[in-house]
Amino acid sequence: MMAKNGIRIAIAGVGNCASSLIQGLYYYTPERCATDVVGLMHTEIGGYRPCDISVVAAFDVDARKVGQDVSRAIFAKPNCTKVFQADIPEMGVVVRMGQVLDGISPHMADYDDNRTFVRAGAAELSKAEIVASLKESRADILLNYMPVGSERAARFYAECALEAGCGFINNMPVFIASDPAFAARFTAAGLPIIGDDIKSQLGATITHRVLTDLFAKRGVKLLRTYQLNTGGNTDFLNMKNQERLASKKTSKTEAVQAVAKSRMENENIHIGPSDYVPWQNDNKICFIRMEGLLFGDVPMDLELRLSVQDSPNSAGVVIDMIRCCKLALENGIGGVLAGPSAYFCKHPPAQYTDDVAYEMTEEFIRSCRPALAATAAE
């Protein structure tokens, strides 16, 4: 079965993650979804497949993207993610100039234009113009893909979603869904929000969480742990500015602390981006070390190296977030979606173990299905 109406999304920040997401919308065709599909947690949710999602509005501040059709902008520099679906048709959706605010770290001007933003010469749109664009495009959901540390920009786009009547998905570590004041405003408006800070399909944080939970369930005392990450995309370049990292470190650290048997002292846990290695491009390499005590207080340690393409690793999760958000809109559910936020995000308002969060999300999907109007599949 396929839902009668598709899902219309708007994107704030047409970077690597947006590129992977949009490639995926065209990669997972109806034909591919009808087979033993690889790479999706759910082939369909509530009758919606990835190919039922369309981009209707997009905002960025880079001169190489603003004014371009989204189909071309997603492959423009400084984007460097893996191209797995090069055949993207013209969408008829032009990337518009957003607001810069704190979306660009000052230190990134010191790098060549292959690795950093080239600020567009176009005038920034006002808040009223962005809200009008969201309304005119009839966007159901606004996705926030601002860089780490963009506190003002993230809150600005959340405000735009509220005024435009859109659901909101916060993929980055500015605390909006987990801010009680913001959460209350989305509840009052009857608009769903999922956040904060996306948890990749099989990335550093989810792997670290699973291992930490395993220690707790198997009776191993976790004494010390670290997670060190390196990458070569603009996200890692942006994070060389330590002042922009506070919320990111909190988000990643709390995601692991939440599943530990007992909370670890700050000096015994270190989680965060470590360095920018240009030639890695969108390849993220993670190093995890865990030290603990087994039966009889006998010491043990575990070391793991994980290598993934960072942006495709998040795209499938976002596709599920979009579909859950759409179900909430169709069912009149506003405010923070507790299960999807806990399952898909590092810093939800309430943390649960991943198996509990998974069951909460599945129950949310099951409970929403009766309200869908569906028709026979194409």
Side-chain angles (χ1 to χ4, degrees):
M1 300 293 284
M2 183 184 71
K4 283 184 177 178
N5 301 310
I7 308 175
R8 303 168 68 87
I9 63 170
I11 295 175
V14 188
N16 283 311
C17 289
S19 177
S20 291
L21 169 66
I22 293 168
Q23 289 182 59
L25 303 184
Y26 291 90
Y27 181 82
Y28 289 101
T29 61
E31 294 75 21
R32 185 169 269 123
C33 287
T35 64
D36 185 17
V37 68
V38 173
L40 293 174
M41 292 185 286
H42 298 86
T43 304
E44 63 87 19
I45 292 179
Y48 291 109
R49 302 159 301 181
C51 54
D52 297 317
I53 301 169
S54 60
V55 180
V56 296
F59 308 94
D60 205 279
V61 298
D62 193 301
R64 294 158 295 188
K65 299 173 184 176
V66 173
Q68 295 290 322
D69 189 86
V70 171
S71 61
R72 294 187 298 275
I74 60 173
F75 299 121
K77 295 177 181 177
N79 289 6
C80 59
T81 191
K82 183 177 179 63
V83 176
F84 58 89
Q85 178 66 36
D87 184 17
I88 306 292
E90 190 90 359
M91 297 183 192
V93 178
V94 173
V95 178
R96 302 188 68 187
M97 180 68 185
Q99 290 205 3
V100 177
L101 299 169
D102 55 356
I104 302 176
S105 178
H107 81 281
M108 292 179 72
D110 297 332
Y111 291 79
D112 66 84
D113 66 4
N114 289 333
R115 298 287 172 179
T116 188
F117 291 100
V118 178
R119 182 167 172 171
E124 297 178 28
L125 294 180
S126 67
K127 182 180 181 183
E129 288 173 319
I130 291 175
V131 170
S133 178
L134 293 171
K135 289 182 176 179
E136 289 165 7
S137 66
R138 296 184 292 115
D140 296 311
I141 303 159
L142 175 60
L143 277 61
N144 175 34
Y145 274 128
M146 290 293 102
V148 171
S150 306
E151 296 275 341
R152 291 172 57 209
R155 292 177 181 277
F156 170 79
Y157 283 107
E159 294 279 358
C160 290
L162 280 165
E163 289 194 24
C166 297
F168 191 67
I169 295 175
N170 184 32
N171 292 311
M172 49 88 68
V174 167
F175 304 141
I176 295 176
S178 49
D179 177 343
F182 249 121
R185 292 177 62 193
F186 275 91
T187 300
L191 295 171
I193 178 172
I194 301 177
D196 299 305
D197 195 10
I198 187 168
K199 191 190 296 173
S200 293
Q201 185 173 17
L202 209 161
T205 297
I206 185 65
T207 301
H208 206 162
R209 276 174 61 93
V210 167
L211 290 170
T212 302
D213 187 46
L214 181 66
F215 272 53
K217 288 177 176 174
R218 303 296 291 183
V220 181
K221 180 175 179 58
L222 182 58
L223 299 175
R224 288 174 293 275
T225 187
Y226 67 61
Q227 179 194 128
L228 308 177
N229 305 316
T230 67
N233 56 28
T234 48
D235 192 36
F236 277 88
L237 175 55
N238 170 67
M239 291 187 292
K240 283 179 69 69
N241 183 345
Q242 293 292 311
E243 294 179 358
R244 298 174 70 88
L245 277 180
S247 61
K248 183 69 172 178
K249 287 183 68 64
T250 297
S251 176
K252 289 175 72 67
T253 301
E254 288 303 312
V256 175
Q257 287 274 32
V259 294
K261 187 173 183 178
S262 57
R263 190 173 182 85
M264 303 177 69
E265 296 295 331
N266 290 338
E267 61 267 25
N268 291 328
I269 180 169
H270 176 82
I271 299 177
S274 301
D275 213 342
Y276 167 68
V277 182
W279 55 262
Q280 282 185 224
N281 290 318
D282 199 40
N283 178 217
K284 177 178 179 178
I285 298 177
C286 161
F287 302 91
I288 295 174
R289 180 176 173 84
M290 305 174 75
E291 300 178 1
L293 296 176
L294 296 165
F295 183 79
D297 286 337
V298 175
M300 59 78 64
D301 61 73
L302 176 153
E303 291 193 350
L304 176 147
R305 178 187 183 274
L306 173 68
S307 175
V308 293
Q309 291 293 315
D310 203 20
S311 301
N313 203 12
S314 73
V317 180
V318 176
I319 285 175
D320 277 16
M321 293 164 80
I322 290 168
R323 293 182 288 179
C324 286
C325 200
K326 176 67 171 178
L327 294 193
L329 285 167
E330 291 178 332
N331 285 266
I333 301 170
V336 178
L337 304 186
S341 291
Y343 189 52
F344 300 132
C345 299
K346 297 184 184 80
H347 196 276
Q351 291 275 11
Y352 299 91
T353 59
D354 291 289
D355 53 351
V356 171
Y358 169 78
E359 290 300 333
M360 292 172 66
T361 301
E362 293 300 305
E363 177 55 33
F364 169 81
I365 294 169
R366 286 191 295 267
S367 69
C368 286
R369 280 186 175 180
L372 284 174
T375 189
E378 293 178 335

